[in-house]
Amino acid sequence: MDHFLGMPGVLDVSGLRFGNRMFEPVWSREHIESIEIVFDETLGLEGRAGFYDSTGAAEDMIQSHLLQVMALVMMEPPSRFDAVEVPANTAHILRAARLWSEDSSTRSPQYRKITPVVRGRYTAGTVDGHELPDYTSEEGVDPSRETETFAQVTLEVDTWRWNGVPVTLRSGKAIGNPVQHIRVIFRQPPHGYEGWPHPLAPNAISVGFEDENVQIELNVGSPYDSRGMNRLTLSSGTPTPGLTAYGSVMRWILDGDPTFTVRADATEEGWRIIDLIKHAYATDAPLLEYPAAPRGRCRCPRSAQCPRTLQSDRLCNQEQADSWT
């Protein structure tokens, strides 16, 4: 069992999608532009070199957690929420997942410049008032391993429902003002009007992993309104959960409920994706450096989010990520 599947925000997404009439009919490539699953941390190594330095961000966070969250968010609707259908449907998503490629871009040409794998390692800085040394200066770290503390991967789930939709998974350490959310970004309206803003900002749904703040971003008004066209964010918290993520996992174990278990074939598919990421490390994804620091000014030509900036909710999935250093 993965405790991330017991996080309140992850379970909220299942309720949003399957407990409401309005979301499931648009939960597909026809209406969804992209998906972002991000879990940044302010923490540095925290004395865990014995484990982390031989693992890195991709294995520690993407394989173990974010891939499982992606599979739950994107799975086909089960006829029952039980230990047969949910593990089977999530395994199906992982089996269809692959790195974003030129073939993917033919289906979504607006994303042709995506760099599918980006990795980085923090250098000395200050986060939340805590001084952090260079990662390579931490006790127990072997610099020759080139262990990444930041990993961002863009995937395509090549199914009838999802092909052509970029799905970006990201996790990094020593990130000031960290983002921890599941964010679904919808396509723009298919028709525009003279005098209206062009392009209109897309609708989006964001759910925090642990803070459980649910946000829906909408456009309201019009050029005929004295206030013009405005961006509106509907935001609400949810009731305080009775259990933590680990508490939910323990409850499932004690109840003998394996609904949110990870099947063996799903685990194998997760490691297959990690192998693709590791191959990219060796061929196309150089190890970049970023300062352990709060938000700052970016030198990227685009407004994008990366360890150096963290200025917006847009992910740094373009070629310009090379301008970190």
Side-chain angles (χ1 to χ4, degrees):
M1 284 186 168
D2 176 19
H3 78 279
F4 263 59
L5 297 183
M7 281 191 170
V10 176
L11 299 175
D12 283 341
V13 173
S14 296
L16 277 172
R17 182 179 172 190
F18 301 121
N20 299 284
R21 185 68 177 265
M22 67 181 73
F23 295 118
E24 178 54 29
V26 296
W27 213 258
S28 68
R29 65 187 303 275
E30 284 76 21
H31 301 282
I32 289 178
E33 178 84 15
S34 62
I35 297 173
E36 304 167 356
I37 300 174
V38 182
F39 198 90
D40 293 330
E41 300 178 284
T42 58
L43 298 175
L45 192 55
E46 304 294 314
R48 299 172 67 222
F51 163 75
Y52 194 87
D53 197 46
S54 60
T55 304
E59 291 185 22
D60 181 39
M61 290 297 299
I62 291 178
Q63 190 280 332
S64 298
H65 305 308
L66 301 190
L67 281 172
Q68 304 303 326
V69 174
M70 178 192 80
L72 190 66
V73 169
M74 301 178 73
M75 71 177 183
E76 289 296 315
S79 61
R80 299 179 182 179
F81 254 85
D82 63 19
V84 175
E85 295 216 16
V86 172
N89 290 7
T90 53
H92 170 72
I93 292 296
L94 294 175
R95 183 182 180 188
R98 62 183 187 177
L99 292 183
W100 191 264
S101 66
E102 290 184 7
D103 287 344
S104 309
S105 298
T106 62
R107 290 183 283 274
S108 297
Q110 70 272 34
Y111 288 112
R112 64 184 179 275
K113 291 186 177 181
I114 282 180
T115 300
V117 178
V118 179
R119 61 173 173 150
R121 182 171 64 190
Y122 69 80
T123 57
T126 303
V127 180
D128 284 354
H130 298 289
E131 296 286 338
L132 293 177
D134 286 350
Y135 176 80
T136 55
S137 299
E138 297 268 20
E139 184 178 354
V141 168
D142 180 356
S144 67
R145 284 178 169 157
E146 294 196 337
T147 300
E148 81 283 0
T149 60
F150 172 96
Q152 178 173 288
V153 181
T154 301
L155 304 171
E156 177 186 32
V157 175
D158 192 12
T159 65
W160 189 285
R161 181 186 286 260
W162 291 115
N163 68 23
V165 176
V167 185
T168 301
L169 313 180
R170 193 190 80 199
S171 184
K173 287 189 174 296
I175 305 293
N177 296 318
V179 175
Q180 296 180 350
H181 68 196
I182 301 161
R183 182 174 169 84
V184 177
I185 301 163
F186 290 87
R187 297 190 185 279
Q188 293 169 342
H191 179 67
Y193 296 94
E194 184 177 353
W196 289 43
H198 182 77
L200 282 172
N203 302 136
I205 299 174
S206 299
V207 181
F209 270 100
E210 293 186 292
D211 66 12
E212 290 194 274
N213 188 41
V214 179
Q215 295 185 335
I216 300 177
E217 299 169 35
L218 304 168
N219 298 308
V220 298
S222 74
Y224 308 103
D225 189 317
S226 61
R227 298 163 298 177
M229 182 73 75
N230 291 288
R231 189 71 167 166
L232 180 66
T233 299
L234 307 179
S235 179
S236 177
T238 60
T240 302
L243 294 172
T244 65
Y246 286 108
S248 292
V249 169
M250 288 302 300
R251 185 188 67 183
W252 297 336
I253 292 172
L254 295 173
D255 289 345
D257 182 356
T259 299
F260 291 99
T261 53
V262 180
R263 283 193 341 191
D265 58 333
T267 300
E268 291 174 2
E269 293 296 340
W271 284 111
R272 174 188 61 81
I273 295 166
I274 289 296
D275 286 343
L276 297 175
I277 295 169
K278 295 290 187 179
H279 178 73
Y281 284 1
T283 57
D284 303 315
L287 183 64
L288 308 177
E289 291 188 333
Y290 64 95
R295 299 187 184 198
R297 180 65 59 181
C298 183
R299 289 185 289 171
C300 296
R302 293 185 176 214
S303 176
Q305 189 179 71
C306 63
R308 179 177 286 280
T309 53
L310 292 176
Q311 289 208 90
S312 71
D313 287 337
R314 306 302 301 164
L315 297 180
C316 192
N317 54 15
Q318 306 292 332
E319 293 170 339
Q320 290 84 354
D322 292 340
S323 63
W324 286 358
T325 55

